[in-house]
Amino acid sequence: MQLGAFSISLAVKNLDASRAFYEKLGFEAFGGDGEHFQIMKNGETVIGLFQGMFENNLLTFNPGWDQDANTLDDYTDIRELQQALKAQGIEIREEIDPSTTGPASFMIFDPDGNPILFDQHV
């Protein structure tokens, strides 16, 4: 099971202040609109800063992408991941219609309530 690129998505109160803080740690803007969310990178480490978009911090996997947001030639489609997780008894929030293709997302929660977002952009 290939989960794709990994990042942590942080629910921030002030995007500008958070961006400035992470820049001091060596992160650079990598994506996002810069107004509501900013994706930042330091080497292979990726974080997302999201103001007003999520209630909690969450782990994020992007099937079909590498750590530089390049589309992979070979990856496990998000619908296959959803099916495999369901088969293992994991509850899926906002299931994806398995007959669709392309970009989609779903969320699961670990036993401690930590949200994990699977967000495929390809």
Side-chain angles (χ1 to χ4, degrees), residues 54 58 91-93 105-109 115-118:
F54 301 117
L58 53 116
E91 180 185 347
I92 308 293
R93 299 278 174 97
S105 63
F106 69 85
M107 190 176 294
I108 64 173
F109 291 83
I116 302 170
L117 175 65
F118 291 83

Side-chain angles (χ1 to χ4, degrees), residues 9-19 22 35-37 48-57:
S9 298
L10 302 174
V12 301
K13 294 176 184 166
N14 182 313
L15 183 60
D16 292 332
S18 294
R19 181 178 31 242
Y22 284 100
E35 189 176 324
H36 302 98
F37 71 101
L49 307 175
F50 295 87
Q51 182 177 325
M53 297 178 75
F54 301 117
E55 280 187 43
N56 300 306
N57 299 332

Side-chain angles (χ1 to χ4, degrees), residues 92-111:
I92 308 293
R93 299 278 174 97
E94 298 180 26
E95 289 187 31
I96 303 165
D97 179 346
S99 68
T100 62
T101 61
S105 63
F106 69 85
M107 190 176 294
I108 64 173
F109 291 83
D110 75 9

Side-chain angles (χ1 to χ4, degrees), residues 21-37:
F21 174 82
Y22 284 100
E23 285 172 344
K24 291 176 184 175
L25 296 179
F27 284 85
E28 297 178 356
F30 178 69
D33 66 9
E35 189 176 324
H36 302 98
F37 71 101

